[in-house]
Amino acid sequence: MIKLQALRQHLLNAVPDLKRGPEKLLTFVQDGGIAFARGQHLSHEYRVDAQIIVTDYRCSLDTLMIPLLQWLSRYQPDLDPDEAVRLEAEILSNNAWDLALTVRLTERVIALVDCDAGTISAEHRMPAYPIEACPALSWSLNVKGPGDADYQPASQWESPNDG
């Protein structure tokens, strides 16, 4: 799944805790299926529940969630906002936890059949949808917790790109 690989790379680039320890990020396809039409037409769509596991996470949840939501807004904008991301957590200590995020991803594959040549050409599609009319390419996340006087810098990353 090209989308899951792209999402994984975006999180590794955007989340400071994962930049320092990429081995903390595990990705799986938990459940899925393939939608297709019968016949000679071989185009199809992968539909999977991608599970993103982050172990021993020691940062604000926002430093993970905001880059994730930004990526989803660009590459999977058709998700139901109320059901887009499911979250589970195990508290390891006062400053560390294991997180499990589940996200539904779809990936379209166009398969063109040429019967005369005996070839099938498959192309994975990952269209990027504009998030909004915002020209920024680099982002800084500042977080203010309860009781904090000011925002504190938490993360920096580049906008998700086309793959």
Side-chain angles (χ1 to χ4, degrees), residues 4-33:
L4 183 54
Q5 293 168 334
L7 174 55
R8 177 184 171 80
Q9 190 59 56
H10 177 67
L11 293 175
L12 288 171
N13 292 338
V15 180
D17 206 34
L18 299 179
K19 276 184 190 176
R20 289 186 296 273
E23 70 282 354
K24 293 178 168 189
L25 179 62
L26 308 170
T27 50
F28 303 94
V29 172
Q30 181 176 319
D31 190 21

Side-chain angles (χ1 to χ4, degrees), residues 2-127:
I2 293 170
K3 270 193 177 178
L4 183 54
Q5 293 168 334
L7 174 55
R8 177 184 171 80
Q9 190 59 56
H10 177 67
L11 293 175
L12 288 171
N13 292 338
V15 180
D17 206 34
L18 299 179
K19 276 184 190 176
R20 289 186 296 273
E23 70 282 354
K24 293 178 168 189
L25 179 62
L26 308 170
T27 50
F28 303 94
V29 172
Q30 181 176 319
D31 190 21
I34 299 172
F36 71 101
R38 290 187 199 149
Q40 185 176 343
H41 187 278
L42 299 176
S43 296
H44 56 281
E45 181 178 77
Y46 295 106
R47 297 176 181 170
V48 300
D49 287 337
Q51 190 162 52
I52 301 160
I53 308 289
V54 181
T55 61
D56 197 31
Y57 192 66
R58 298 178 179 270
C59 296
S60 163
L61 185 56
D62 292 338
T63 61
L64 176 64
M65 197 57 62
I66 290 174
L68 171 67
L69 295 176
Q70 181 189 44
W71 190 93
L72 290 173
S73 293
R74 183 168 181 107
Y75 293 106
Q76 201 69 58
D78 56 338
L79 292 174
D80 180 341
D82 293 330
E83 300 174 6
V85 181
R86 293 189 309 273
L87 169 69
E88 296 177 45
E90 179 181 354
I91 307 301
L92 303 175
S93 68
N94 284 342
N95 61 354
W97 43 358
D98 288 344
L99 300 168
L101 306 170
T102 304
V103 179
R104 171 62 55 109
L105 297 178
T106 59
E107 184 173 317
R108 185 92 174 115
V109 179
I110 304 301
L112 302 175
V113 177
D114 184 336
C115 293
D116 294 332
T119 61
I120 302 168
S121 300
E123 177 187 350
H124 289 250
R125 300 266 171 103
M126 193 168 138

Side-chain angles (χ1 to χ4, degrees), residues 130-145:
I131 295 172
E132 54 187 72
C134 185
L137 298 177
S138 296
W139 297 92
S140 295
L141 173 63
N142 302 306
V143 177
K144 183 178 177 182

